[in-house]
Amino acid sequence: MLSIDWKPDKSSDIAVYRQIVAYIKEKIETGEWPVNSQLPTQRALASSFGVNRSTVVTALDELRAEGLIESTVGSGTRVSNNTWSLLSSTPPPDWMSYVQAGTHPPNLPTIQEINRLEPDPRYIRLGTGELSPDLIPMDKMAEMMRCAGEYMTPLGYAEPKGLLTLRQAVSQHLRGRGIEASPASILIVSGALQALQLISQGLLHPGSTIMAERPSYLYSLPLFQASGMRLAGVPMDQDGMITEALIHQQQVQRAALLYTIPAFHNPTGRSMSEKRREQLMAVCERERLPVLEDDVYGELWLDEPGAAPLKTRDHQGQVLYLGSLSKTLSPGLRIGWLVGPQPVIDRLADVKMQTDYGASGLSQWVAAEWLSGACYQQHLQEVRAALRHRRDQMCQYLQRWFGDIAIWEKPQGGFYVWLQLRHALSMRTLFDRALKQGILLNPGYIYDQTDSRHLRLSYAYVDVKEMEEAVYRLAVCIKDML
């Protein structure tokens, strides 16, 4: 969608429609709006420019007369030429055909809209899966940067697996989680998403099946599908992934990999019980099914420590373990780690070097400084306390405004409340109505395309002062639709 970040100056001596013509012409001439790109509707343009629709019509008529745009009944208006193409016998490159020919599928339209609107301060972000800026320790971060700067080596390319100092710090940190991993079996990545991409490119054959909980964060990503993979869902209950369903799916699908978020699952917030973890590992060992354990929320327990990671039960090198600082410390560092058998890590390190030649050296030194001392654990305690308060506030407001229209579980950690409405409704309509009330949501169909009853609410990002107002407005929107 073409974005518009400008409005005409109505106090200018230049007619408003003339200003609009000049603005659109500049966008076309510079290539920002390439040939064949679709213009917003007249109504949308009028709203963006803050003018009457008739003014937009006049401007478009002039652009059409100059041969820069053309309109087709039922298809809207698109850019047909630029000023250079009108002067040249050789047509300009059709960039839109390149855009449409790319093999990587686009995000769901709702996710694209969420990504576009999240930076807009007019919206209360009730679904955002990251820490509030208030919870990111900026003063301490600056101190860590100064400390790291005192001894960091020249910022050249790190070795393929990542900065050794950081891998040593991660190794020591994981020991506190019950995981024994030498620095040689650790790969530093730019967050969990890159680890998923490396695995799809470096370990799996096109056409392979990946099993995951349903619903799952994984279904919101076209990443695996872009590599020719297929996703198969395994249903959950209160204790996590149902092992009987996993056995059945594996008999049918013969999956190449099981992806799971056992601790404070995204989007449901549930944690896999000890017994279920034992059952799952037994099934995977028997079926020789590799496991990718996404544990990015595992340290964010709020009431008491959760069950030990699946990796601690791994006696055959069957589990690839994924951790990150994005959820606990700062997403902007772009630092995560993948743990696995050394040949696997060597292979993925080689793929990573071909992709980006290593994560940010500066970020790696800063992350090593955080993990090397006691500051990270102290920070975790502070974040847990803040998230516990936010969680309790969210549940209190839900009880007040949603008690008669929805059910939910009180999460024991992580970021999310998985709100289940008592009656199904159009989630896209709710999404649009909430936007008009200044609320940005994550509807359940992002994580399961058949879902028409769930919302993923995040208490981690939304401002505490705005939380109650947002929950109230959302309840009013829903009750108006019932």
Side-chain angles (χ1 to χ4, degrees):
M1 180 182 295
L2 301 179
S3 61
I4 296 173
D5 54 2
W6 169 89
K7 293 185 185 298
D9 180 3
K10 296 181 180 179
S11 64
S12 171
D13 292 335
I14 302 174
V16 169
Y17 88 91
R18 281 287 194 190
Q19 296 180 53
I20 294 173
V21 168
Y23 172 80
I24 295 178
K25 285 180 70 172
E26 181 182 7
K27 291 290 187 182
I28 296 174
E29 290 171 359
T30 58
E32 288 189 49
W33 292 9
V35 172
N36 283 333
S37 56
Q38 191 82 17
L39 267 66
T41 64
Q42 293 177 3
R43 190 181 305 278
L45 286 171
S47 175
S48 297
F49 292 137
V51 299
N52 295 327
R53 189 174 173 183
S54 60
T55 304
V56 169
V57 170
T58 302
L60 295 181
D61 285 344
E62 181 159 326
L63 291 164
R64 195 177 295 110
E66 293 187 34
L68 295 175
I69 62 174
E70 62 181 25
S71 301
T72 305
V73 176
S75 300
T77 303
R78 66 181 183 89
V79 177
S80 56
N81 287 290
N82 58 35
T83 51
W84 291 109
S85 65
L86 293 174
L87 296 174
S88 171
S89 59
T90 303
D94 182 0
W95 283 113
M96 294 309 296
S97 67
Y98 285 82
V99 169
Q100 295 162 5
T103 58
H104 199 294
N107 256 327
L108 293 172
T110 301
I111 296 178
Q112 291 187 22
E113 193 163 4
I114 291 171
N115 292 338
R116 181 172 59 84
L117 294 177
E118 277 191 329
D120 192 328
R122 293 176 297 174
Y123 295 98
I124 301 174
R125 294 161 60 172
L126 206 52
T128 297
E130 65 182 84
L131 289 176
S132 165
D134 297 340
L135 301 183
I136 296 176
M138 295 305 298
D139 291 342
K140 196 67 178 178
M141 188 70 74
E143 179 184 336
M144 291 295 177
M145 290 181 178
R146 287 194 296 271
C147 292
E150 293 178 2
Y151 59 82
M152 69 172 63
T153 58
L155 292 176
Y157 294 119
E159 60 182 283
K161 294 179 184 178
L163 182 70
L164 177 58
T165 302
L166 175 56
R167 288 187 287 120
Q168 290 170 335
V170 170
S171 176
Q172 182 64 33
H173 172 70
L174 290 176
R175 194 167 291 121
R177 301 274 292 144
I179 298 172
E180 292 293 332
S182 70
S185 65
I186 297 171
L187 173 65
I188 302 302
V189 291
S190 300
L193 192 59
Q194 186 184 49
L196 296 176
Q197 184 176 31
L198 293 174
I199 288 168
S200 68
Q201 294 175 341
L203 299 182
L204 303 177
H205 296 291
S208 297
T209 296
I210 298 166
M211 287 196 293
E213 291 103 344
R214 186 169 185 178
S216 175
Y217 160 74
L218 210 60
Y219 296 98
S220 70
L221 303 172
L223 184 151
F224 283 119
Q225 297 92 316
S227 301
M229 312 298 170
R230 294 183 294 115
L231 295 178
V234 181
M236 304 173 67
D237 62 15
Q238 307 306 109
D239 292 323
M241 184 181 289
I242 301 173
T243 48
E244 292 82 1
L246 171 61
I247 294 170
H248 174 73
Q249 279 282 47
Q250 181 61 359
Q251 291 172 346
V252 174
Q253 302 286 351
R254 304 313 304 173
L257 183 72
L258 171 66
Y259 171 86
T260 179
I261 311 174
F264 315 122
H265 177 262
N266 180 5
T268 67
R270 296 173 184 163
S271 280
M272 193 179 294
S273 66
E274 288 274 8
K275 182 178 180 180
R276 190 64 58 80
R277 289 171 189 243
E278 294 173 2
Q279 293 172 342
L280 182 140
M281 287 301 297
V283 169
C284 292
E285 287 176 5
R286 185 175 67 248
E287 298 291 334
R288 301 184 66 185
L289 176 63
V291 178
L292 175 57
E293 178 182 14
D294 189 339
D295 196 37
V296 298
Y297 300 97
E299 296 180 297
L300 294 175
W301 51 267
L302 302 183
D303 300 309
E304 58 184 19
L310 296 176
K311 185 65 177 173
T312 63
R313 298 166 169 82
D314 180 21
H315 307 298
Q316 301 179 358
Q318 191 160 356
V319 177
L320 298 178
Y321 177 85
L322 180 56
S324 172
L325 295 178
S326 293
K327 303 301 182 182
T328 58
L329 182 61
S330 169
L333 276 179
R334 306 309 305 139
I335 292 294
W337 47 84
L338 187 66
V339 178
Q342 190 170 336
V344 173
I345 296 301
D346 290 343
R347 164 65 175 158
L348 297 180
D350 177 60
V351 175
K352 179 171 170 55
M353 288 298 283
Q354 298 177 54
T355 304
D356 68 358
Y357 240 78
S360 162
L362 179 58
S363 290
Q364 290 188 70
W365 278 109
V366 173
E369 185 69 22
W370 271 103
L371 292 174
S372 296
C375 290
Y376 181 64
Q377 291 301 322
Q378 179 181 346
H379 165 72
L380 281 177
Q381 292 179 16
E382 294 170 358
V383 167
R384 289 186 192 117
L387 288 177
R388 187 182 307 117
H389 172 68
R390 287 165 172 261
R391 186 256 335 248
D392 292 344
Q393 290 291 106
M394 174 72 79
C395 289
Q396 176 184 332
Y397 299 145
L398 289 175
Q399 188 62 48
R400 182 180 304 168
W401 303 114
F402 278 82
D404 58 337
I405 60 173
I407 57 176
W408 62 93
E409 303 163 19
K410 182 179 180 180
Q412 302 304 302
F415 288 176
Y416 310 115
V417 173
W418 189 232
L419 190 74
Q420 179 181 330
L421 302 179
R422 295 183 186 274
H423 301 285
L425 47 75
S426 169
M427 282 292 167
R428 180 65 216 196
T429 300
L430 175 59
F431 179 84
D432 292 336
R433 289 192 178 190
L435 282 182
K436 292 178 180 178
Q437 294 298 318
I439 302 169
L440 192 56
L441 292 174
N442 279 42
Y445 63 76
I446 292 175
Y447 314 102
D448 180 349
Q449 62 182 4
T450 65
D451 194 315
S452 59
R453 295 181 63 182
H454 286 93
L455 296 169
R456 190 194 80 174
L457 303 182
S458 170
Y459 47 82
Y461 188 89
V462 62
D463 184 273
V464 176
K465 296 178 181 178
E466 296 180 323
M467 185 186 291
E468 182 176 15
E469 179 65 23
V471 172
Y472 167 73
R473 290 187 207 169
L474 179 59
V476 171
C477 283
I478 293 172
K479 289 176 181 179
D480 286 345
M481 293 177 63
L482 295 177

PDB file of all heavy atoms in Angstrom, residues 228-239:
ATOM      1  N   GLY A 228       9.432 -23.639   0.874  1.00  0.00           N
ATOM      2  CA  GLY A 228       8.797 -24.844   0.368  1.00  0.00           C
ATOM      3  C   GLY A 228       8.381 -25.829   1.441  1.00  0.00           C
ATOM      4  O   GLY A 228       8.131 -27.004   1.150  1.00  0.00           O
ATOM      5  N   MET A 229       8.307 -25.377   2.709  1.00  0.00           N
ATOM      6  CA  MET A 229       7.916 -26.261   3.800  1.00  0.00           C
ATOM      7  C   MET A 229       6.395 -26.216   4.010  1.00  0.00           C
ATOM      8  O   MET A 229       5.732 -25.268   3.641  1.00  0.00           O
ATOM      9  CB  MET A 229       8.600 -25.855   5.112  1.00  0.00           C
ATOM     10  CG  MET A 229      10.088 -25.602   5.007  1.00  0.00           C
ATOM     11  SD  MET A 229      10.998 -27.069   4.496  1.00  0.00           S
ATOM     12  CE  MET A 229      12.608 -26.346   4.173  1.00  0.00           C
ATOM     13  N   ARG A 230       5.897 -27.272   4.652  1.00  0.00           N
ATOM     14  CA  ARG A 230       4.484 -27.331   5.016  1.00  0.00           C
ATOM     15  C   ARG A 230       4.371 -27.379   6.531  1.00  0.00           C
ATOM     16  O   ARG A 230       5.186 -28.000   7.206  1.00  0.00           O
ATOM     17  CB  ARG A 230       3.831 -28.580   4.402  1.00  0.00           C
ATOM     18  CG  ARG A 230       3.782 -28.547   2.876  1.00  0.00           C
ATOM     19  CD  ARG A 230       3.063 -29.762   2.306  1.00  0.00           C
ATOM     20  NE  ARG A 230       3.801 -31.000   2.578  1.00  0.00           N
ATOM     21  CZ  ARG A 230       3.344 -31.984   3.346  1.00  0.00           C
ATOM     22  NH1 ARG A 230       2.162 -31.859   3.942  1.00  0.00           N
ATOM     23  NH2 ARG A 230       4.055 -33.073   3.538  1.00  0.00           N
ATOM     24  N   LEU A 231       3.336 -26.725   7.056  1.00  0.00           N
ATOM     25  CA  LEU A 231       3.094 -26.713   8.498  1.00  0.00           C
ATOM     26  C   LEU A 231       1.922 -27.619   8.825  1.00  0.00           C
ATOM     27  O   LEU A 231       0.911 -27.626   8.114  1.00  0.00           O
ATOM     28  CB  LEU A 231       2.792 -25.294   8.980  1.00  0.00           C
ATOM     29  CG  LEU A 231       3.928 -24.275   8.862  1.00  0.00           C
ATOM     30  CD1 LEU A 231       3.456 -22.907   9.343  1.00  0.00           C
ATOM     31  CD2 LEU A 231       5.142 -24.721   9.644  1.00  0.00           C
ATOM     32  N   ALA A 232       2.062 -28.385   9.900  1.00  0.00           N
ATOM     33  CA  ALA A 232       0.990 -29.241  10.383  1.00  0.00           C
ATOM     34  C   ALA A 232       0.763 -28.922  11.849  1.00  0.00           C
ATOM     35  O   ALA A 232       1.707 -28.913  12.644  1.00  0.00           O
ATOM     36  CB  ALA A 232       1.347 -30.718  10.209  1.00  0.00           C
ATOM     37  N   GLY A 233      -0.480 -28.657  12.229  1.00  0.00           N
ATOM     38  CA  GLY A 233      -0.794 -28.249  13.582  1.00  0.00           C
ATOM     39  C   GLY A 233      -1.108 -29.415  14.500  1.00  0.00           C
ATOM     40  O   GLY A 233      -1.732 -30.396  14.087  1.00  0.00           O
ATOM     41  N   VAL A 234      -0.667 -29.292  15.748  1.00  0.00           N
ATOM     42  CA  VAL A 234      -0.968 -30.270  16.792  1.00  0.00           C
ATOM     43  C   VAL A 234      -1.764 -29.544  17.874  1.00  0.00           C
ATOM     44  O   VAL A 234      -1.274 -28.548  18.415  1.00  0.00           O
ATOM     45  CB  VAL A 234       0.318 -30.878  17.391  1.00  0.00           C
ATOM     46  CG1 VAL A 234      -0.035 -31.913  18.466  1.00  0.00           C
ATOM     47  CG2 VAL A 234       1.182 -31.503  16.301  1.00  0.00           C
ATOM     48  N   PRO A 235      -2.970 -30.008  18.198  1.00  0.00           N
ATOM     49  CA  PRO A 235      -3.796 -29.287  19.182  1.00  0.00           C
ATOM     50  C   PRO A 235      -3.175 -29.293  20.569  1.00  0.00           C
ATOM     51  O   PRO A 235      -2.343 -30.144  20.907  1.00  0.00           O
ATOM     52  CB  PRO A 235      -5.125 -30.042  19.147  1.00  0.00           C
ATOM     53  CG  PRO A 235      -4.808 -31.380  18.570  1.00  0.00           C
ATOM     54  CD  PRO A 235      -3.663 -31.178  17.632  1.00  0.00           C
ATOM     55  N   MET A 236      -3.614 -28.339  21.391  1.00  0.00           N
ATOM     56  CA  MET A 236      -3.128 -28.167  22.754  1.00  0.00           C
ATOM     57  C   MET A 236      -4.279 -28.329  23.748  1.00  0.00           C
ATOM     58  O   MET A 236      -5.439 -28.166  23.395  1.00  0.00           O
ATOM     59  CB  MET A 236      -2.522 -26.765  22.939  1.00  0.00           C
ATOM     60  CG  MET A 236      -1.424 -26.387  21.985  1.00  0.00           C
ATOM     61  SD  MET A 236      -0.959 -24.639  22.200  1.00  0.00           S
ATOM     62  CE  MET A 236      -0.233 -24.663  23.847  1.00  0.00           C
ATOM     63  N   ASP A 237      -3.918 -28.619  24.995  1.00  0.00           N
ATOM     64  CA  ASP A 237      -4.841 -28.479  26.107  1.00  0.00           C
ATOM     65  C   ASP A 237      -4.147 -27.662  27.188  1.00  0.00           C
ATOM     66  O   ASP A 237      -3.124 -27.006  26.910  1.00  0.00           O
ATOM     67  CB  ASP A 237      -5.347 -29.835  26.611  1.00  0.00           C
ATOM     68  CG  ASP A 237      -4.220 -30.726  27.150  1.00  0.00           C
ATOM     69  OD1 ASP A 237      -3.098 -30.209  27.397  1.00  0.00           O
ATOM     70  OD2 ASP A 237      -4.445 -31.932  27.317  1.00  0.00           O
ATOM     71  N   GLN A 238      -4.639 -27.696  28.411  1.00  0.00           N
ATOM     72  CA  GLN A 238      -4.076 -26.850  29.459  1.00  0.00           C
ATOM     73  C   GLN A 238      -2.622 -27.191  29.774  1.00  0.00           C
ATOM     74  O   GLN A 238      -1.877 -26.354  30.292  1.00  0.00           O
ATOM     75  CB  GLN A 238      -4.894 -26.982  30.745  1.00  0.00           C
ATOM     76  CG  GLN A 238      -6.388 -26.738  30.556  1.00  0.00           C
ATOM     77  CD  GLN A 238      -6.688 -25.423  29.894  1.00  0.00           C
ATOM     78  OE1 GLN A 238      -7.116 -25.364  28.742  1.00  0.00           O
ATOM     79  NE2 GLN A 238      -6.442 -24.353  30.616  1.00  0.00           N
ATOM     80  N   ASP A 239      -2.210 -28.432  29.471  1.00  0.00           N
ATOM     81  CA  ASP A 239      -0.846 -28.875  29.777  1.00  0.00           C
ATOM     82  C   ASP A 239       0.107 -28.750  28.597  1.00  0.00           C
ATOM     83  O   ASP A 239       1.263 -29.170  28.684  1.00  0.00           O
ATOM     84  CB  ASP A 239      -0.862 -30.329  30.258  1.00  0.00           C
ATOM     85  CG  ASP A 239      -1.536 -30.480  31.608  1.00  0.00           C
ATOM     86  OD1 ASP A 239      -1.360 -29.572  32.450  1.00  0.00           O
ATOM     87  OD2 ASP A 239      -2.241 -31.474  31.820  1.00  0.00           O
TER      88      ASP A 239
END
